[in-house]
Amino acid sequence: MNACELTAQLDKPLSKKYVFKLAQTREELEACFRLLHDEYVRAGFMEPTPSGLRITLHHALPTTSTLMCRYGKRVVGTISLIRENGLGLPMQRIFGLDEIFREGGNVAEMSALAIDGRFHAIKDRVIIPLLKFLYEYAEYRFYTRHLVIAAHPQHIGFYEDVLCFRRLPRPPGDRNDIYNDAPAVGAHLDLEKVKEVFFQKYADAPLEKNLHHYFTVAALPNGQFPHQRFDTAADPVMTPELIDYFFNQKTKIFSALSQEEIRLLHTVYNLPEYLHCLPQ
């Protein structure tokens, strides 16, 4: 492997204290958004907010799933999977993804990854299973073909060297809407080809470092997939109460929306019980 060497031993059993799941309750979601805020502030990626949460309008949509790693009762890792929606993917504000869309198949963005600072010394024990959970959740739940990501320049090596992402062309100009004073780097992984790519890279690797075996053969450790509902192609968690709490009470995101964004919300949540919590 290259400079981004894995420190975790992938064949070593993971403690049952680690649980990987979809964040569904107010407590779970708030813990994820607070962890994301605190770690982004600590890394210098954003300024502190009054709410102490990092949350975007995409998190209000049923096409976004917030995944989490819990160690005991504490949320120690989180990542979001943002699927195609009326707002577009967040990184489309910076990167052109037309060529990827033309290849066909569903496209989703990996976003909002954070690991509790107290686990940084053993972060691979959180990140790698969390990414495996996302990989299986994206591919088998939503038939995702393309995963895209906009990463900080310090972290793009991990996605390229370890996870076999391919870097996207740098957009013209100096636009940057993600990190403080650091241009994001875009990358893409085709899940239709990932098994072959992983095999070519890790065929001769020992089992403890073999991501091909880990992602495509080994069972997911301690994963809890949500119950499959037959009436929906998503795993919606944002009830009217949760939307009101996160977007009206804890933050003022809804108060700053454009008319187009407001219309989209009313189209998505076209039910009487949501009217009181959506901007008019």
Side-chain angles (χ1 to χ4, degrees), residues 144-173:
T144 303
R145 176 182 172 183
H146 302 283
L147 284 178
V148 294
I149 189 170
H152 191 279
Q154 293 177 353
H155 301 148
I156 191 62
F158 169 76
Y159 295 100
E160 288 184 310
D161 299 341
V162 176
L163 298 179
C164 302
F165 275 72
R166 298 185 65 179
R167 192 175 300 206
L168 295 174
R170 186 180 181 87

Coordinates of all heavy atoms in Angstrom, one line a residue, residues 144-173:
T144 N -27.2 1.7 -5.5 CA -26.2 2.8 -5.9 C -25.1 2.2 -6.8 O -24.5 1.2 -6.4 CB -25.7 3.5 -4.7 OG1 -26.7 4.0 -3.9 CG2 -24.7 4.6 -5.1
R145 N -24.8 2.9 -7.9 CA -23.7 2.5 -8.7 C -22.5 3.4 -8.5 O -21.3 2.9 -8.4 CB -24.0 2.5 -10.2 CG -22.8 2.2 -11.0 CD -23.0 2.2 -12.5 NE -21.8 2.1 -13.2 CZ -21.6 2.1 -14.6 NH1 -22.7 2.4 -15.3 NH2 -20.4 2.0 -15.1
H146 N -22.7 4.7 -8.3 CA -21.6 5.6 -8.2 C -21.6 6.3 -6.9 O -22.6 6.9 -6.4 CB -21.7 6.7 -9.3 CG -21.7 6.2 -10.7 ND1 -20.6 5.8 -11.4 CD2 -22.8 6.0 -11.6 CE1 -20.9 5.4 -12.6 NE2 -22.2 5.5 -12.7
L147 N -20.4 6.3 -6.2 CA -20.2 7.1 -5.0 C -19.3 8.2 -5.3 O -18.2 8.0 -5.9 CB -19.6 6.2 -3.9 CG -20.5 5.2 -3.2 CD1 -19.7 4.4 -2.1 CD2 -21.7 6.0 -2.5
V148 N -19.6 9.4 -4.9 CA -18.8 10.6 -5.1 C -18.5 11.2 -3.8 O -19.3 11.1 -2.8 CB -19.4 11.6 -6.1 CG1 -19.5 11.0 -7.5 CG2 -20.8 12.1 -5.7
I149 N -17.4 12.0 -3.7 CA -17.1 12.6 -2.5 C -16.3 13.9 -2.8 O -15.5 13.9 -3.7 CB -16.2 11.7 -1.5 CG1 -16.1 12.3 -0.2 CG2 -14.9 11.3 -2.2 CD1 -15.5 11.3 0.9
A150 N -16.4 14.9 -1.9 CA -15.6 16.1 -2.0 C -14.8 16.1 -0.7 O -15.4 16.4 0.4 CB -16.5 17.4 -2.1
A151 N -13.5 15.8 -0.7 CA -12.7 15.6 0.5 C -11.8 16.8 0.7 O -11.4 17.5 -0.3 CB -12.0 14.3 0.4
H152 N -11.4 17.0 1.9 CA -10.3 17.9 2.2 C -9.0 17.4 1.6 O -8.7 16.2 1.6 CB -10.1 18.1 3.7 CG -9.3 19.2 4.1 ND1 -7.9 19.1 4.1 CD2 -9.6 20.5 4.6 CE1 -7.4 20.3 4.5 NE2 -8.4 21.1 4.8
P153 N -8.2 18.3 1.1 CA -6.9 17.9 0.5 C -6.0 17.0 1.4 O -5.3 16.1 0.9 CB -6.2 19.2 0.2 CG -7.3 20.2 0.0 CD -8.3 19.8 1.0
Q154 N -6.1 17.2 2.7 CA -5.4 16.4 3.6 C -5.8 14.9 3.6 O -5.1 14.0 4.0 CB -5.5 16.9 5.0 CG -4.8 18.3 5.2 CD -5.0 18.8 6.6 OE1 -5.7 18.2 7.4 NE2 -4.4 19.9 7.0
H155 N -7.1 14.7 3.2 CA -7.7 13.3 3.4 C -7.9 12.6 2.1 O -8.2 11.4 2.1 CB -9.0 13.5 4.1 CG -8.9 14.1 5.5 ND1 -9.9 14.9 6.0 CD2 -7.9 14.1 6.4 CE1 -9.6 15.3 7.2 NE2 -8.3 14.8 7.4
I156 N -7.7 13.3 0.9 CA -8.0 12.6 -0.3 C -7.1 11.4 -0.6 O -7.5 10.5 -1.2 CB -7.8 13.6 -1.5 CG1 -8.4 13.1 -2.8 CG2 -6.4 14.1 -1.7 CD1 -9.9 12.7 -2.7
G157 N -5.9 11.4 0.0 CA -5.0 10.3 -0.2 C -5.6 9.0 0.4 O -5.4 7.9 -0.2
F158 N -6.3 9.0 1.4 CA -7.0 7.8 2.0 C -8.0 7.3 1.0 O -8.0 6.0 0.8 CB -7.7 8.2 3.3 CG -8.6 7.1 3.8 CD1 -8.1 6.0 4.5 CD2 -10.0 7.2 3.7 CE1 -8.9 5.0 5.0 CE2 -10.8 6.2 4.2 CZ -10.3 5.1 4.8
Y159 N -8.8 8.1 0.4 CA -9.8 7.6 -0.6 C -9.2 7.1 -1.8 O -9.6 6.1 -2.4 CB -10.8 8.8 -0.9 CG -11.6 9.2 0.3 CD1 -11.2 10.3 1.1 CD2 -12.6 8.4 0.8 CE1 -11.9 10.7 2.2 CE2 -13.4 8.8 1.9 CZ -13.0 9.9 2.6 OH -13.7 10.3 3.8
E160 N -8.1 7.7 -2.3 CA -7.4 7.3 -3.5 C -6.6 6.0 -3.2 O -6.7 5.0 -3.9 CB -6.5 8.4 -4.0 CG -7.3 9.5 -4.7 CD -6.4 10.6 -5.3 OE1 -5.4 11.0 -4.6 OE2 -6.6 10.9 -6.5
D161 N -5.7 6.1 -2.2 CA -4.7 5.0 -2.0 C -5.3 3.8 -1.4 O -4.9 2.6 -1.7 CB -3.6 5.5 -1.1 CG -2.8 6.7 -1.7 OD1 -2.9 6.9 -3.0 OD2 -2.1 7.4 -1.0
V162 N -6.3 3.9 -0.5 CA -6.9 2.8 0.2 C -8.2 2.3 -0.4 O -8.4 1.1 -0.6 CB -7.1 3.2 1.7 CG1 -7.7 2.0 2.5 CG2 -5.7 3.5 2.4
L163 N -9.1 3.3 -0.7 CA -10.4 2.9 -1.2 C -10.6 2.9 -2.7 O -11.6 2.6 -3.2 CB -11.5 3.8 -0.5 CG -11.6 3.7 1.0 CD1 -12.6 4.7 1.5 CD2 -11.9 2.3 1.5
C164 N -9.5 3.3 -3.4 CA -9.5 3.2 -4.9 C -10.4 4.2 -5.6 O -10.8 3.9 -6.7 CB -9.8 1.8 -5.3 SG -8.6 0.5 -4.7
F165 N -10.7 5.3 -4.9 CA -11.4 6.3 -5.6 C -10.5 6.9 -6.7 O -9.3 6.9 -6.6 CB -11.8 7.4 -4.6 CG -13.1 7.2 -3.9 CD1 -13.2 6.2 -2.9 CD2 -14.3 7.9 -4.2 CE1 -14.4 6.0 -2.2 CE2 -15.5 7.7 -3.5 CZ -15.5 6.7 -2.5
R166 N -11.2 7.5 -7.7 CA -10.4 8.2 -8.8 C -10.7 9.7 -8.7 O -11.9 10.1 -8.6 CB -10.8 7.6 -10.1 CG -10.4 6.1 -10.3 CD -10.7 5.6 -11.7 NE -9.8 6.3 -12.6 CZ -9.9 6.0 -14.0 NH1 -10.7 5.1 -14.4 NH2 -9.0 6.6 -14.8
R167 N -9.7 10.5 -8.7 CA -9.9 11.9 -8.6 C -10.6 12.5 -9.8 O -10.3 12.2 -10.9 CB -8.5 12.6 -8.4 CG -8.6 14.0 -7.9 CD -7.3 14.6 -7.6 NE -6.5 13.9 -6.6 CZ -5.6 14.5 -5.8 NH1 -5.3 15.8 -6.0 NH2 -5.0 13.8 -4.9
L168 N -11.5 13.5 -9.5 CA -12.2 14.2 -10.5 C -11.4 15.4 -10.9 O -10.6 15.9 -10.2 CB -13.6 14.7 -10.0 CG -14.6 13.6 -9.6 CD1 -15.8 14.2 -9.0 CD2 -15.0 12.8 -10.8
P169 N -11.6 15.9 -12.2 CA -10.9 17.0 -12.6 C -11.2 18.2 -11.7 O -12.3 18.4 -11.2 CB -11.4 17.3 -14.0 CG -12.0 16.0 -14.5 CD -12.5 15.3 -13.2
R170 N -10.2 19.0 -11.5 CA -10.3 20.2 -10.6 C -11.2 21.2 -11.3 O -10.9 21.6 -12.5 CB -8.9 20.8 -10.3 CG -9.0 21.9 -9.3 CD -7.6 22.4 -9.0 NE -7.6 23.5 -8.1 CZ -7.5 23.3 -6.7 NH1 -7.5 22.1 -6.3 NH2 -7.5 24.3 -5.9
P171 N -12.2 21.8 -10.7 CA -13.0 22.8 -11.3 C -12.3 24.1 -11.6 O -11.3 24.4 -10.9 CB -14.2 23.0 -10.3 CG -13.6 22.6 -9.0 CD -12.6 21.5 -9.3
P172 N -12.7 24.8 -12.6 CA -12.0 26.1 -12.8 C -12.3 27.1 -11.7 O -13.3 27.1 -11.1 CB -12.6 26.6 -14.2 CG -13.9 25.9 -14.2 CD -13.7 24.6 -13.5
G173 N -11.3 28.0 -11.5 CA -11.5 29.1 -10.5 C -11.2 28.6 -9.1 O -10.7 27.5 -8.9

